[in-house]
Amino acid sequence: MTDGPEPDLEEIDNTVPHSARIWNYWLGGKDFYDVDREVGDGIARSNPGIVTTARAQRAFLCRAVRYLAGEAGIRQFLDVGTGLPTVDNTHEVAQRVAPDARIVYVDHDPLVLTHARALLTSTPEGVTHYIDADLRDPDAILRGAAGTLDFDRPVALMLLGVVAHITDDSAYDVVARLMAALPPGSHLVFSDSAEVVNPEAVRAMVRQWNSTSDNPRVNRTREQILRFFDGMELLEPGLVSVTRWRPEALPFGEPAEVDNVGGVARKN
């Protein structure tokens, strides 16, 4: 089952770059406009590692969801700031492991909602739903998700690359409000840009983005990102470069770090 509101196509602005469409471009998708490609290419010139980083973050999502749906037994996922469907979306990864998994996607871009209706299908045993809401309004997210998810049972809250768009400390309150509504046994999956490998390139990327977008973002340090996990049990190996969160076995040692850190924590 897939359900959700009918998007208003007239709301789609193809003159302003949008992070979901730029991310789709970096991931090798097809759902972007010229302005998104131009900004994406400009960011890549100042930060040549960004495409590798984007794909590393998607690989982190896959490994985290496989762990949660498998070993941790999670059957409910709330994916906020999902972006445009590409490959190995949260519901696809989760339902390969657990066909009865229930997934709610959240975004506020009309183009995302348009493609979600067409592409975010579900297994017969499970549910895929999507809602039009902004991360800055956690109560609206929780109200919308409550029709699909049972908040008396554990939920995995997915926040990958989206919290940087809340540029002040209210971001901590937003994440805390979402986690407070979820029962013990729930998990937080979080990743975002950080100055790990090439700090100046990451700073340049943010400057370029903020000069061209009406959806600004901020860099946070690893220590600032750790605060989002306060009060939870941060699972091994902790908050690390997304390439180094439980990587697949490699013949030549650990994978190279990228300028994006991620972690998974359990609410006890």
Side-chain angles (χ1 to χ4, degrees), residues 20 23 34 45 86 108 119 193 201 203:
W23 208 256
D34 288 345
R45 283 192 292 273
T86 53
H108 66 104
L119 299 176
S193 298
R203 294 183 200 120

Side-chain angles (χ1 to χ4, degrees), residues 7 12 20 33 57 61 68 78 87 112 116 139 173 196 232 248 258:
I12 297 173
Y33 294 113
Q57 182 177 275
L61 178 152
L68 291 169
L78 179 57
V87 294
V112 170
D139 291 333
D173 295 330
V196 176
M232 290 176 275
E248 312 294 345
V258 296

Side-chain angles (χ1 to χ4, degrees), residues 246-261:
R246 305 189 182 189
E248 312 294 345
L250 294 172
F252 303 111
E254 285 191 302
E257 291 188 301
V258 296
D259 288 305
N260 192 291
V261 296

Side-chain angles (χ1 to χ4, degrees), residues 37-266:
R37 184 182 63 250
E38 290 166 5
V39 172
D41 287 344
I43 291 172
R45 283 192 292 273
S46 60
N47 183 8
I50 188 59
V51 174
T52 298
T53 298
R55 296 177 182 181
Q57 182 177 275
R58 177 53 59 105
F60 164 69
L61 178 152
C62 294
R63 296 194 303 276
V65 171
R66 281 198 299 268
Y67 162 76
L68 291 169
E71 187 176 335
I74 299 296
R75 294 294 179 268
Q76 303 189 110
F77 295 81
L78 179 57
D79 187 335
V80 183
T82 177
L84 288 162
T86 53
V87 294
D88 283 335
N89 302 289
T90 296
H91 75 289
E92 294 171 317
V93 180
Q95 290 177 348
R96 283 186 206 125
V97 179
D100 60 337
R102 304 171 73 85
I103 295 89
V104 172
Y105 290 106
V106 181
D107 211 295
H108 66 104
D109 182 345
L111 185 63
V112 170
L113 299 178
T114 300
H115 287 270
R117 176 170 294 280
L119 299 176
L120 295 183
T121 58
S122 174
T123 59
E125 304 94 330
V127 175
T128 303
H129 181 73
Y130 54 94
I131 58 177
D132 181 4
D134 193 307
L135 176 60
R136 295 171 182 83
D137 191 351
D139 291 333
I141 291 172
L142 294 167
R143 285 194 303 271
T148 302
L149 305 181
D150 178 358
F151 288 150
D152 291 326
R153 298 174 54 229
V155 176
L157 173 63
M158 313 283 297
L159 295 171
L160 277 72
V162 64
V163 177
H165 291 292
I166 303 180
T167 58
D168 59 22
D169 281 355
S170 67
Y172 296 106
D173 295 330
V174 166
V175 175
R177 171 71 186 98
L178 290 168
M179 288 304 303
L182 307 181
S186 295
H187 289 69
L188 172 63
V189 182
F190 190 105
S191 72
D192 230 325
S193 298
E195 299 171 5
V196 176
V197 180
N198 193 337
E200 184 50 44
V202 178
R203 294 183 200 120
M205 176 191 74
V206 170
R207 288 194 297 269
Q208 167 113 10
W209 173 259
N210 290 345
S211 70
T212 57
S213 173
D214 60 357
N215 186 24
R217 59 181 296 121
V218 66
N219 281 340
R220 291 188 170 92
T221 66
R222 182 180 180 278
E223 291 69 28
Q224 289 171 321
I225 292 174
L226 269 173
R227 283 182 56 192
F228 289 106
F229 297 100
D230 282 355
M232 290 176 275
E233 175 191 356
L234 188 60
L235 305 184
E236 291 294 334
L239 182 66
V240 294
S241 168
V242 289
T243 54
R244 295 190 174 179
W245 194 90
R246 305 189 182 189
E248 312 294 345
L250 294 172
F252 303 111
E254 285 191 302
E257 291 188 301
V258 296
D259 288 305
N260 192 291
V261 296
V264 178
R266 187 180 190 276

